[in-house]
Amino acid sequence: MTTGGDAVQIAERFAAGLAEGAAERDRDRVLPHAEIGRMSAAGLFALTVPHRFGGPDVGVPSLVEVFRLIAEADPSIAQIPHSHYVFLEALRLQGAEAQQRRFFGEVLAGRRFANAQSERGSRTVTEDATTLTPDGAGGYVLDGEKFYATGSLFADWLAVRAVLPGAEGAKAVAFVPAGAAGVTIADDWDGLGQRTTGSGTVRLAAVSVPGDAVVPYTPIFDRPTSYGAFAQVLHAALDAGIARAALTAAVEHVKRARPWFESGADRAAGDPLLVQQAGEVEIAVRAAEALLREAAHAVDAARTDPTEDSTTQASVATAVAKVATARAAVDASSALFELAGTRSASDALNLSRFWRDARTHTLHDPGRWKVQHVGRWLLDRTRPPRHGLL
């Protein structure tokens, strides 16, 4: 059975083959169907399936490192399994035994899940207009439209977040085959970064959903849970991977850069001011990586024993890591150009993809609110809210 160490080694081998074509996939927006197929074949979509269903059930620290390694090679590909793992976590927390056996079995058989949760027209990201209406025969009819549906173009199943009418705003997750009647997936994602994530629009028109394919979602937050921290620490892993990749690219291009004439140096790496800047970026990236590891262990502890204290510690540690990794990703991908010099702006090199990926991915949720929750916990011991984004 795959262990956490095995998973990391598998991810290292998989990532090694991704980096070389990442710039071309980004430039030409080549959707990574073949790469995602290899990722599935390597077992990298099944890492959290519980032992009792025949899965490896690897810990959060190993899963986080898998995400970080893949993001270092290609952040778009790393983002594709994010919602797959998050909604499997919802299944683990709220699914009935038969539902877990069925859908975890689907994962072990090589099936991939993608999210259909966010909506463009809502007032906030937590509000949904998509509805699950009882059909009178024990099932539901699903109607709505979702956007930012990352991974939907590569998915076998969609995890659709929807409102249950007459249930005081309670929400559920409907697991729907991507090819079901009434489901339309549009390849219309046009973000400046993360260009090949398949994050387009999902339209749902009178989709028939059996009752046993609907899992309660709102009750996840009625008790101490690591659900939000789990989702966020994987986002932080993506940012950390981008930061390290940008800095690695900077080091490589500094070798070919010319020194500034005032430095008196024979090569760019001999310029003391460039050395200073490179050292500052390395410190920021290393700090972010360390905070990510700390958060991963806190989330793992809370996931194993979810108490008020353990889940609070997980949310705070993850908020700290998410802010640090987001800053490191944006700063390192910007500093890349200053370190590598004017020639690094050549479109042929496509070095802008690091900044574009960082800037796009870090918009998922505002770091300013994470800083607020960290400060409130520090000063007044105000526990972070339970809402899936912290």
Side-chain angles (χ1 to χ4, degrees), residues 352-372:
S352 67
R353 67 187 176 91
F354 296 105
W355 184 88
R356 289 185 288 102
D357 285 343
R359 187 63 285 178
T360 301
H361 183 256
T362 56
L363 295 175
H364 268 80
D365 37 76
R368 59 185 178 272
W369 272 97
K370 297 187 187 307
V371 174
Q372 280 285 310

Side-chain angles (χ1 to χ4, degrees), residues 55 151 154 184 189 282 311:
F154 315 100
T184 303
W189 168 241
E282 169 70 356
T311 57

Side-chain angles (χ1 to χ4, degrees), residues 282-299:
E282 169 70 356
I283 289 167
V285 173
R286 282 200 191 194
E289 290 168 341
L291 289 167
L292 175 66
R293 289 191 293 269
E294 178 182 289
H297 284 285
V299 176

